Every structure is written in C-alpha cells, then in structure tokens.
Amino acid sequence: MNTQPSREKLYSTSKGYGFSPALQRTRKPFAVRNLVTLGGLLAFVSGVYTYSLLAVKQDDFSDVPLPPAAVTDEEK
C-alpha cells in the first residue's frame, strides 16, 4: 500500500506556512551563497557602524564657543 501522496497533490495542496518539499529542493543550491552574502552584509554594516562611532568619538568641540548660560529666577 502506497502512503505517499501523488505528485500532483504534493505540489498543489497547501499545508500551511511551512516550506513544501519542492520549495526546499529549489532553495537548497542557494543556501551557501545566501549565507556568504549574509556574512558580507553583516561585516559591511558593522564596519560602517563601528567606523561612525569611532569617528564621532574623536571629534573635539573645544574650539566651538558655548552660548552664555540662561539666567533663571532663582539666580536673580
């Protein structure tokens, strides 16, 4: 007795939100390339973020004049 569904039913029936066997077979060749791309994007984004933080940390605002402090009612 064959308990496997027919090929037509395998591709046409909806089983919810999971991946069908056909979709799993289709995505399998791209798994390594997708992970390499993910690693490259993460490295680029973290590099830009780190560079930005280090560049801002180096800024020296000692040459920028500060405005005079506002006088409050308690100081009068």
Side-chain angles (χ1 to χ4, degrees):
M1 187 175 266
N2 189 3
T3 59
Q4 295 286 335
S6 67
R7 280 191 88 128
E8 294 81 21
K9 284 196 176 229
L10 210 86
Y11 296 111
S12 62
T13 57
S14 174
K15 297 181 186 100
Y17 294 107
F19 292 136
S20 69
L23 183 58
Q24 289 174 354
R25 284 192 307 274
T26 305
R27 291 178 52 152
K28 193 172 187 176
F30 302 103
V32 173
R33 188 169 59 179
N34 287 345
L35 289 174
V36 169
T37 303
L38 174 67
L41 285 173
L42 285 175
F44 175 74
V45 169
S46 61
V48 169
Y49 181 75
T50 304
Y51 172 78
S52 300
L53 285 179
L54 292 176
V56 169
K57 191 186 285 189
Q58 294 176 25
D59 280 347
D60 182 24
F61 295 107
S62 63
D63 60 338
V64 178
L66 292 174
V71 179
T72 60
D73 290 335
E74 294 174 2
E75 293 177 0
K76 289 183 182 181

